[in-house]
Amino acid sequence: VLNRRCVEAAVMTGLALNCSINKKSLFDRKHYFYADLPAGYQITQQRVPIAVNGSLSYSLCIDSKMSQMVTKTVRIKQIQLEQDSGKSLHDDTRSQTLVDLNRAGVGLMEVVMEPDMCCGEEAAAAVRELQLILQTLGSSQAVMAEGQLRVDANVSVHHPGEPYGVRTEVKNINSIRFLAKAIDYEIQRQIEELENGGTILNETRAFDSKLGCTVPMRDKEGKQDYRFMPEPNLPPLILYDAKSLPANMNHQQVINIDWIHERLPDLPSVKRKKLVEQYGILPEHSFTLLNEDGLAEFFESVLKQTQMKPKRVIGWILKDLLSYLKQHSLPVKDSPVSSFLLADLLNLLEKKEISSTAAKQVLAELWKGEGKTPLEIVKEQKLELLQDQKELEQICQAVIDGQENEVIMMVLG
Amino acid sequence: AALNDGLRSQVSAALKEGRVTPTELCQRCLALIKSTKFLNAYITVVEESALKQAEESEERYKRGQPLGILDGIPIAVKDNFNTAGIETTCASNMLKGYISPYNATVVQKLLDQGAVLLGKTNLDEFAMGSGSTDGVFGPVRNPWSYSKQYKEKSVPKSHSEDEESNWVITGGSSGGSAAAVSSFTCFAALGSDTGGSTRNPAAHCGVVGLKPTYGLISRHGLIPLVNSMDVPGILTRCVDDAAVLLGSLAGHDPKDSTTIQDDFKPFELPNLTDVSKLSIGIPKEYHAPGLSSEILALWSKAADLFKNAGAKVVEVSLPHTRYSIVCYHVLCTAEVASNMARFDGLEYGHRSGMKDSTESMYAATRREGFNDVVRGRILSGNYFLLKQNYEKYFVKAQKVRRLIANDFVKVFRSGVDILLTPTTLSDAAPYTEFIQEDNRTRSAQDDILTQAANMAGLPAINVPTALSERGLPVGLQFIGRSFQEKQLLTVAKWFEKQVQFPMIQLEEVKRHDSDVFQHQKSASFS
């Protein structure tokens, strides 16, 4: 029986990736024997998948300072629905394999990209953007470490102008960082192999994160004939749009693509654009804001509670707050400094009651999370800016008087 | 009430009025099962739970709140339907000892209406076969082998060896269910029909066998053979009873995506008197090679019966019939190969002791668990599904299937209401003769008249018609339009009334249940 929510998720993702949604898609059985595949076949969409021919735009920084970004696109070949297998845990010490069937049969969405990327960095950026999109849509939490997003990389090399080389498939990649590493390693390995006169085998390799390299996988041998056959228990999947929807159809029974389209939330690219337009921040700022879970919301929350201009607030968010969070490996939601406290602090700064140096000191204190307000800390550490002109003049005069020689030398140049 | 009474017309009333109790019915059936054990119709008998169900039913009748016509009625279920807490073997080593964790939807529906489940019936292993002879629990014997009618007609050879060697097969693969209904051990039984597996044994055992339209009754919990052709089959002693069962089983099941969404309304069959508006089609291609002259004559006589009663009887053509066997074999084995892939010994069922590697364990398990017939079909099916063969065989067969289905569409569109054909090529063969040829050959021969209906998804029913010269039952088949079971059964009921098929005269039944013979039909159609 087909899971409605899976179909909706696939349609949403397809729309978000500019795909054509196939109004009729089919299900097939892919046969092979493996301990984690209890039925002896996996239900997938080999003949006609649910969505095809889309694109994903992502941005890369040209330099390491995040000050120049360039937009790239990778074509999406298709999105297909399929079943997950179980999980095999190999216990080599006892020569046994433990099979966990809990996730067998759960719905998966496979997104197939065209080979439009040229290095680990591009792939990492593209996958990161995909992750954000999936999270925004609610299709998936897409956390790689949890196995919610699994990425296999297909890598090949060729001389410019020549056809694409033989590709290898790299599996067992558990994070975006490792994805970039694995790809770059494999590219290097292939180049070296070819330059030494060797050939590349069309094989599957596993990424070894400890050694930072790819190794051939033992289990897959040769070319498998999966004996594809139409899945007889699942009729063709028919999706409708506003035009094709029959008049007396039960709303519960059908999926209307247009209805889903209308309800798509703002995609990351749109959100970024809005942040830039609304607050006058730089594009690269918007990237960082969206890259950290909850940071954009935090930023907007602070803005609501302070008069300080967004262009000034952003610095505090991206430099000060974020670096603290990174140092302590904390997500935004666990920040000991709430948006309220930060706004409070920035208000003192905005009203010129403290200097920015003092503000940094207060922030450091706030970070300890002892429950004091910014004002309390300022008073405690006597960080108030003197507002009284006369008092200032007296202090300056005293300093000058005390340092007569230096002042004369300064005045003389 | 007698064991051969019609459910709606007699048994239900008798139960309501207290003239007989569910417990009595249950006990009589259980006793008869014991005394007909030599038929080998049952693999598992669940005496305790059946009696408990009967008691609960009795309580309901006492309170005046029976759940329906089926409340308290003893039934049997073919052993390829999952039954919670009860062993489900498919007559295979692969599933010996396997206790189902859930009820098939059709089983659940019957239980929900108070039916009393007596046990699981015997079949060909994994429902592959046309004789009910190839299961691991041994062959099923046709009750008619022990009938007065058959014994009278059989040439006596030597003394005591007669009965033992002369017994005839039930047909298959739902032989156990057919034998159970035929020998009065239950009022109705569930079978399955993929290529004729309900209608074939129904014909040989002299009972009504209904194959419903594909998509009408849920397959959830029916261990699949060919997903695109399997249907649960209904076996009863009269057409009315089949309608009752159909009413309680048909309808959309969210757990089976191949069931249609439309609402199903159970119906009572009208007593048709005027057939002048009916158009009966006689497909000439069903005059198949090997069709016995006896059955041919019976078929002809039946056609005349309709004609004389005023119906329009026309010869029609289903030109692609001769390709159906080959087409069926390709599609059937392909789906079988796929459906049998789940039997690897890991999660349930038989697991071989072989431990060298996963692959060797799989291979040994499957070799030990499956019989030759099953293994043969798996190997063929996998061959047809190979990438290099897929277009040539599987896709081609699908196209031919479409042509076969279209043959029927054309004929029905031309004004024909019902098709009348033989169900089997001959009456039941003696076991010793049947096993001279292998399963594949037999299936190819015996399925020819029945499997087109599976390919086209159409409803079809076997109605017992007359006794052959050997004293064995012969049935005729009616094929109807998709989802027009009401029309199909109405015509079948009219025919049943005309032919007055004789009741089986079984010594065992006579001994146990003299009531049975009170309503014996005297006239017979032959």
Side-chain angles (χ1 to χ4, degrees):
Chain A
V1 179
L2 192 51
N3 182 324
R4 188 203 172 100
R5 190 67 190 90
C6 291
V7 179
E8 287 173 348
V11 171
M12 279 199 290
T13 310
L15 291 170
L17 294 177
N18 305 306
C19 297
S20 316
I21 307 293
N22 281 327
K23 293 229 190 70
K24 179 173 172 187
S25 59
L26 305 171
F27 290 98
D28 306 285
R29 290 187 183 180
K30 179 179 179 183
H31 298 88
Y32 62 93
F33 284 99
Y34 203 67
D36 63 17
L37 197 64
Y41 60 84
Q42 176 200 34
I43 300 180
T44 177
Q45 292 190 299
Q46 190 242 3
R47 288 170 293 157
V48 186
I50 191 168
V52 291
N53 296 338
S55 66
L56 169 63
S57 293
Y58 60 96
S59 292
L60 278 183
C61 319
I62 297 286
D63 63 21
S64 54
K65 286 190 199 141
M66 285 273 294
S67 57
Q68 254 204 317
M69 307 209 81
V70 61
T71 305
K72 291 201 166 218
T73 310
V74 56
R75 290 167 298 158
I76 303 292
K77 177 158 185 256
Q78 65 187 49
I79 299 180
Q80 72 209 41
L81 286 169
E82 51 184 45
Q83 286 181 312
D84 204 353
S85 64
K87 234 195 290 191
S88 292
L89 303 145
H90 298 289
D91 182 354
D92 288 320
T93 43
R94 290 193 200 84
S95 289
Q96 62 183 7
T97 302
L98 306 167
V99 182
D100 177 353
L101 291 176
N102 277 307
R103 64 169 210 208
V106 168
L108 289 178
M109 193 170 59
E110 180 166 314
V111 178
V112 183
M113 297 180 183
E114 299 283 12
D116 296 340
M117 296 162 285
C118 73
C119 59
E121 198 189 354
E122 287 192 1
V127 171
R128 179 73 191 115
E129 186 67 8
L130 179 63
Q131 216 177 22
L132 287 174
I133 292 176
L134 291 171
Q135 286 164 354
T136 305
L137 292 174
S139 299
S140 168
Q141 296 308 305
V143 176
M144 276 180 83
E146 307 273 317
Q148 295 163 346
L149 173 65
R150 293 172 231 163
V151 183
D152 296 333
N154 290 286
V155 184
S156 71
V157 296
H158 64 281
H159 286 302
E162 284 178 15
Y164 284 21
V166 175
R167 66 176 169 85
T168 62
E169 186 180 9
V170 182
K171 289 169 111 68
N172 194 39
I173 298 168
N174 298 324
S175 75
I176 294 194
R177 205 166 54 89
F178 287 150
L179 175 65
K181 265 191 155 178
I183 290 174
D184 289 336
Y185 172 86
E186 181 61 17
I187 291 173
Q188 216 35 55
R189 184 191 77 83
Q190 291 193 8
I191 290 175
E192 275 170 25
E193 183 68 35
L194 289 171
E195 283 179 347
N196 287 334
T199 51
I200 306 298
L201 295 170
N202 175 213
E203 60 176 348
T204 305
R205 300 174 73 88
F207 179 65
D208 184 325
S209 51
K210 290 200 199 93
L211 300 173
C213 65
T214 64
V215 292
M217 277 175 81
R218 314 166 284 142
D219 278 343
K220 306 278 173 99
E221 2 105 11
K223 284 218 172 105
Q224 279 239 40
D225 190 330
Y226 291 112
R227 289 167 279 123
F228 284 99
M229 184 183 92
E231 169 56 67
N233 287 326
L234 290 176
L237 176 60
I238 311 287
L239 302 172
Y240 298 93
D241 56 23
K243 257 188 281 176
S244 63
L245 190 64
N248 53 353
M249 266 288 196
N250 184 351
H251 167 75
Q252 296 294 336
Q253 308 277 23
V254 300
I255 288 188
N256 182 339
I257 301 171
D258 288 337
W259 193 86
I260 294 180
H261 206 310
E262 282 160 25
R263 282 159 188 74
L264 281 180
D266 277 346
L267 293 180
S269 51
V270 173
K271 277 194 208 166
R272 282 184 212 117
K273 206 161 161 232
K274 281 188 179 170
L275 286 170
V276 169
E277 281 168 13
Q278 207 174 346
Y279 304 118
I281 57 176
L282 296 173
E284 45 264 35
H285 292 163
S286 70
F287 267 90
T288 317
L289 277 182
L290 284 194
N291 245 2
E292 290 307 317
D293 201 17
L295 194 59
E297 289 75 19
F298 191 100
F299 171 60
E300 290 188 297
S301 175
V302 170
L303 286 181
K304 280 203 191 91
Q305 303 172 75
T306 179
Q307 281 83 35
M308 187 182 278
K309 289 273 187 295
K311 281 191 189 166
R312 269 190 90 188
V313 175
I314 194 73
W316 285 93
I317 298 285
L318 295 185
K319 278 184 251 170
D320 301 277
L321 180 76
L322 194 57
S323 60
Y324 271 120
L325 288 173
K326 289 291 177 208
Q327 250 173 51
H328 296 89
S329 297
L330 287 173
V332 173
K333 65 177 165 70
D334 291 343
S335 169
V337 181
S338 67
S339 60
F340 172 77
L341 285 178
L342 183 60
D344 211 14
L345 173 62
L346 295 180
N347 281 338
L348 291 177
L349 183 58
E350 183 72 5
K351 284 186 267 178
K352 297 198 198 316
E353 285 180 37
I354 53 175
S355 70
S356 57
T357 322
K360 288 198 205 287
Q361 245 179 284
V362 175
L363 186 57
E365 195 61 35
L366 280 175
W367 199 258
K368 292 185 193 155
E370 287 165 8
K372 299 183 209 155
T373 67
L375 199 56
E376 283 165 5
I377 298 172
V378 164
K379 286 208 179 354
E380 254 178 46
Q381 301 191 13
K382 295 203 181 30
L383 297 169
E384 311 93 319
L385 278 180
L386 293 174
Q387 305 290 357
D388 186 352
Q389 179 88 348
K390 265 200 150 178
E391 215 186 317
L392 275 170
E393 280 176 2
Q394 278 178 358
I395 294 174
C396 289
Q397 195 60 50
V399 172
I400 293 172
D401 292 340
Q403 313 288 338
E404 246 181 56
N405 296 328
E406 284 85 343
V407 171
I408 291 169
M409 285 178 65
M410 270 181 67
V411 167
L412 291 176
Chain B
L3 287 178
N4 70 326
D5 280 345
L7 289 174
R8 199 198 306 271
S9 47
Q10 290 126 339
V11 183
S12 189
L15 283 169
K16 278 199 203 133
E17 290 160 23
R19 284 183 274 127
V20 72
T21 67
T23 317
E24 275 168 13
L25 281 181
C26 184
Q27 281 165 343
R28 273 153 75 178
C29 287
L30 288 171
L32 205 48
I33 292 176
K34 286 203 184 89
S35 62
T36 54
K37 215 164 169 196
F38 54 87
L39 293 177
N40 202 18
Y42 287 81
I43 294 176
T44 306
V45 180
V46 283
E47 190 165 326
E48 238 182 85
S49 75
L51 286 169
K52 186 157 176 283
Q53 284 166 9
E55 265 170 45
E56 287 165 6
S57 171
E58 205 160 307
E59 283 303 307
R60 290 191 290 269
Y61 274 104
K62 280 201 189 124
R63 289 199 305 270
Q65 292 169 334
L67 295 166
I69 298 181
L70 290 177
D71 203 336
I73 301 296
I75 52 143
V77 167
K78 187 173 179 182
D79 208 15
N80 60 351
F81 285 91
N82 275 292
T83 43
I86 301 174
E87 195 177 349
T88 300
T89 66
C90 295
S92 173
N93 274 323
M94 190 58 94
L95 288 178
K96 239 187 196 169
Y98 171 72
I99 311 283
S100 310
Y102 70 104
N103 279 324
T105 297
V106 288
V107 171
Q108 191 60 54
K109 282 189 167 183
L110 289 174
L111 293 176
D112 285 346
Q113 300 195 30
V116 174
L117 178 60
L118 296 172
K120 310 297 288 299
T121 58
N122 205 349
L123 57 153
D124 281 304
E125 181 162 337
F126 277 109
M128 300 186 204
S130 59
S132 302
T133 52
D134 282 323
V136 292
F137 297 104
V140 184
R141 299 186 182 197
N142 193 329
W144 284 83
S145 316
Y146 304 93
S147 68
K148 190 164 169 216
Q149 291 105 326
Y150 178 64
K151 287 194 231 176
E152 273 172 3
K153 297 288 180 75
S154 50
V155 181
K157 290 172 199 148
S158 67
H159 266 297
S160 51
E161 284 174 18
D162 271 2
E163 273 190 23
E164 275 315 294
S165 58
N166 230 13
W167 61 270
V168 299
I169 57 165
T170 52
S173 59
S174 312
S177 283
V181 173
S182 171
S183 57
F184 300 99
T185 59
C186 61
F187 277 82
L190 288 184
S192 66
D193 196 314
T194 305
S197 292
T198 290
R199 293 160 285 156
N200 176 296
H204 286 314
C205 294
V207 297
V208 171
L210 170 63
K211 174 211 167 295
T213 311
Y214 182 87
L216 186 59
I217 298 186
S218 171
R219 289 181 297 113
H220 174 75
L222 166 60
I223 295 175
L225 181 61
V226 183
N227 288 294
S228 65
M229 299 188 207
D230 290 350
V231 292
I234 294 170
L235 293 137
T236 55
R237 287 194 281 275
C238 65
V239 177
D240 250 336
D241 288 355
V244 171
L245 265 282
L246 182 66
S248 64
L249 295 177
H252 176 65
D253 182 7
K255 295 188 202 142
D256 179 350
S257 301
T258 58
T259 53
I260 53 157
Q261 306 271 1
D262 303 357
D263 281 329
F264 175 82
K265 292 187 190 65
F267 48 79
E268 253 190 68
L269 292 176
N271 273 316
L272 190 63
T273 44
D274 175 21
V275 294
S276 58
K277 297 199 188 65
L278 217 51
S279 172
I280 306 288
I282 308 287
K284 62 181 188 198
E285 291 85 1
Y286 277 60
H287 186 347
L291 186 63
S292 80
S293 46
E294 237 185 343
I295 296 195
L296 183 58
L298 228 47
W299 185 19
S300 194
K301 219 168 166 182
D304 288 341
L305 188 71
F306 277 99
K307 210 184 297 179
N308 294 337
K312 186 167 161 220
V313 178
V314 288
E315 188 190 73
V316 295
S317 175
L318 300 168
H320 296 94
T321 304
R322 60 197 167 111
Y323 303 118
S324 60
I325 282 283
V326 172
C327 175
Y328 174 75
H329 271 240
V330 171
L331 296 177
C332 172
T333 53
E335 287 209 38
V336 163
S338 178
N339 289 327
M340 296 294 139
R342 71 194 60 193
F343 297 106
D344 54 18
L346 274 187
E347 306 86 8
Y348 43 75
H350 173 69
R351 184 200 282 220
S352 163
M354 168 73 69
K355 279 189 193 177
D356 292 350
S357 70
T358 319
E359 268 87 39
S360 63
M361 190 275 280
Y362 279 9
T365 296
R366 288 161 73 79
R367 190 186 347 108
E368 292 163 20
F370 292 138
N371 71 3
D372 283 352
V373 179
V374 179
R375 299 213 310 276
R377 293 200 194 187
I378 293 174
L379 289 169
S380 313
N382 278 325
Y383 176 78
F384 296 133
L385 288 177
L386 288 176
K387 207 164 173 183
Q388 72 243 38
N389 293 330
Y390 184 71
E391 288 285 326
K392 278 192 290 184
Y393 295 99
F394 189 85
V395 177
K396 261 273 161 54
Q398 290 282 38
K399 291 181 179 172
V400 174
R401 183 178 178 177
R402 174 62 62 192
L403 291 175
I404 292 170
N406 282 344
D407 279 355
F408 286 98
V409 171
K410 281 194 203 119
V411 162
F412 285 128
R413 219 177 269 165
S414 73
V416 168
D417 299 306
I418 305 273
L419 295 171
L420 168 61
T421 79
T423 312
T424 53
L425 294 173
S426 66
D427 56 6
Y431 176 72
T432 46
E433 194 185 296
F434 185 80
I435 54 171
Q436 301 284 333
E437 299 276 8
D438 65 55
N439 184 296
R440 193 183 171 283
T441 311
R442 286 297 182 207
S443 298
Q445 295 163 344
D446 300 330
D447 286 348
I448 194 152
L449 298 167
T450 47
Q451 29 94 321
N454 296 87
M455 299 256 262
L458 297 170
I461 185 169
N462 171 77
V463 181
T465 307
L467 293 183
S468 69
E469 270 176 26
R470 289 162 64 213
L472 294 171
V474 168
L476 289 176
Q477 173 178 237
F478 294 90
I479 304 176
R481 291 197 182 94
S482 274
F483 301 107
Q484 299 304 314
E485 271 79 355
K486 185 168 181 189
Q487 182 184 53
L488 178 69
L489 290 171
T490 302
V491 173
K493 183 175 170 181
W494 180 87
F495 183 73
E496 176 188 58
K497 196 166 175 197
Q498 305 305 311
V499 301
Q500 301 272 304
F501 182 78
M503 207 177 66
I504 185 175
Q505 292 171 41
L506 271 181
E507 197 56 48
E508 287 69 22
V509 179
K510 202 168 177 183
R511 241 181 275 140
H512 274 260
D513 200 6
S514 52
D515 290 346
V516 173
F517 296 94
Q518 285 171 12
H519 306 267
Q520 186 174 359
K521 298 170 192 139
S522 44
S524 60
F525 181 75
S526 59

